[in-house]
Amino acid sequence: MTSTKNMMHPDQKYITYLQHNDYKGIEQIYRLYAGKVSRMIVANNGTEEDAADVFQEALTDIYKSSAGGTFQLTCPFEAYLIIVCKRKWLTQLRNQKKIQVTNIEEQVYTGAEDERREAERLALMTERERIVMQLLEQLSATCREIIKACLSSTQQEQIAARMGITYGYLRKKKSECMSGLSKLVKRHPMFKN
């Protein structure tokens, strides 16, 4: 018996819709899932407007996580999306000091337990990536430029030439910048465990 744990899920099509800004595909995502997210948020101290914002932000986060083209959905899109939205809403409630949450359990999505765990894993990965990108913005403009350039390209010699610096300096500066980012990440509560 083969494991389906790391196999691409057929719902990868929804990720592709987001990656290609496919209007009809994104419309389908809204039609299928926006109501479920809305019910979950309204049942937990939110409004329809809150739900719309959380849904849009979740889709944006999922798009950013998958923008590199290597993201592989290994669980149902619905489970992944619901968990990303749930995490965003819980964070918002905590930030607003409205901690009382009543119905945010997975009654909105009734998939298998292994699908939920996989969706949780993907949602956590998306959340952590978003936080790392926020922390990156706390670094100097030079560090941000170097790290972002190195993330998007493997040819560091070309990056150094484009920036008008030597390859050796780029490597040294990248190491310093990554060290600074690493310190910020280690201090963030999301990465403490």
Side-chain angles (χ1 to χ4, degrees):
M1 182 173 185
T2 58
S3 172
T4 59
K5 187 170 187 163
N6 293 319
M7 291 180 60
M8 186 182 304
H9 195 277
D11 283 355
Q12 181 74 27
K13 66 184 178 186
Y14 298 114
I15 302 296
T16 304
Y17 295 156
L18 294 171
Q19 289 172 330
H20 295 111
N21 198 22
D22 180 315
Y23 174 77
K24 292 221 181 271
I26 293 171
E27 191 176 76
Q28 183 181 13
I29 292 170
Y30 272 86
R31 192 174 54 254
L32 292 172
Y33 307 118
K36 292 178 182 188
V37 170
S38 182
R39 285 189 296 278
M40 175 181 69
I41 290 173
V42 168
N44 288 284
N45 301 315
T47 65
E48 294 286 334
E49 293 79 25
D50 293 330
D53 290 345
V54 166
F55 191 79
Q56 183 62 44
E57 289 171 17
L59 291 180
T60 300
D61 287 352
I62 292 169
Y63 164 77
K64 287 178 181 175
S65 289
S66 68
T70 58
F71 182 89
Q72 184 172 314
L73 188 66
T74 53
C75 67
F77 181 77
E78 178 181 358
Y80 177 46
L81 176 63
I82 294 291
I83 290 171
V84 170
C85 290
K86 174 181 137 184
R87 286 175 175 268
K88 292 189 98 33
W89 184 240
L90 287 172
T91 299
Q92 217 171 315
L93 287 174
R94 273 187 221 103
N95 292 342
Q96 296 171 358
K97 306 293 185 229
K98 291 182 180 177
I99 309 250
Q100 184 181 13
V101 178
T102 56
N103 299 318
I104 206 146
E105 293 306 313
E106 267 63 89
Q107 81 273 9
V108 178
Y109 174 74
T110 56
E113 187 59 33
D114 58 334
E115 290 175 348
R116 271 194 209 151
R117 279 193 300 276
E118 184 61 15
E120 282 282 354
R121 185 189 69 76
L122 290 172
L124 180 62
M125 180 184 74
T126 299
E127 178 73 6
R128 285 183 169 178
E129 184 174 308
R130 183 186 63 76
I131 290 169
V132 169
M133 295 311 284
Q134 283 179 338
L135 293 172
L136 177 62
E137 294 304 314
Q138 295 178 21
L139 299 178
S140 69
T142 301
C143 280
R144 287 193 309 265
E145 182 181 6
I146 288 172
I147 291 173
K148 287 178 180 179
C150 290
L151 286 173
S152 65
S153 173
T154 56
Q155 300 297 322
Q156 292 188 16
E157 294 88 354
Q158 293 173 350
I159 294 168
R162 187 174 61 230
M163 294 179 73
I165 57 177
T166 66
Y167 173 67
Y169 179 76
L170 174 71
R171 289 186 53 188
K172 179 179 183 258
K173 191 66 178 167
K174 177 185 171 193
S175 177
E176 290 171 3
C177 295
M178 290 301 289
S179 175
L181 181 59
S182 178
K183 287 177 185 172
L184 290 173
V185 167
K186 286 177 183 173
R187 285 192 298 237
H188 193 279
M190 175 66 96
F191 300 94
K192 291 244 181 195
N193 47 355

